[in-house]
Amino acid sequence: QNDIVQAEAALKKSIELQPEVPTAYFLLAGLYIRSNQQEKALANLQETLIRNPKDATALMLTGVIHEQQRRGRRLWQGHRPG
């Protein structure tokens, strides 16, 4: 957990110093994906795509997260308390 916090801080600092570079946004998105923080991951993937619209991996990951969210909503809507 401490490693994740340190990595997040380092990536945010990198973004602060070089906000035009997409790599740190992409790496931060990956960190958020691994820690199950999809909304933060999507925000950083969006920042990646603003800076590099043809980033195929960022596009794919965005689609995967949206699909997971759609399926999750569908599963939740189908759940009926017993």
Side-chain angles (χ1 to χ4, degrees), residues 8-21 23-24:
E8 180 182 24
L11 289 166
K12 285 181 175 182
K13 183 65 173 178
S14 178
I15 289 168
E16 182 182 318
L17 295 172
Q18 294 183 307
E20 71 284 354
V21 178
T23 305

Side-chain angles (χ1 to χ4, degrees), residues 39-71:
E39 292 303 320
K40 288 183 177 182
L42 284 172
N44 281 278
L45 288 169
Q46 183 64 35
E47 292 296 331
T48 301
L49 292 168
I50 287 169
R51 288 152 182 82
N52 184 7
K54 295 182 180 182
D55 186 319
T57 305
L59 288 166
M60 187 232 9
L61 288 173
T62 299
V64 167
I65 292 171
H66 282 300
E67 179 63 17
Q68 288 174 341
Q69 289 177 330
R70 186 185 66 77
R71 286 182 181 181

Side-chain angles (χ1 to χ4, degrees), residues 24-41:
Y25 294 100
F26 182 79
L27 294 173
L28 191 54
L31 184 123
Y32 289 137
I33 289 169
R34 287 187 293 282
S35 59
N36 201 30
Q37 299 181 65
Q38 284 89 1
E39 292 303 320
K40 288 183 177 182

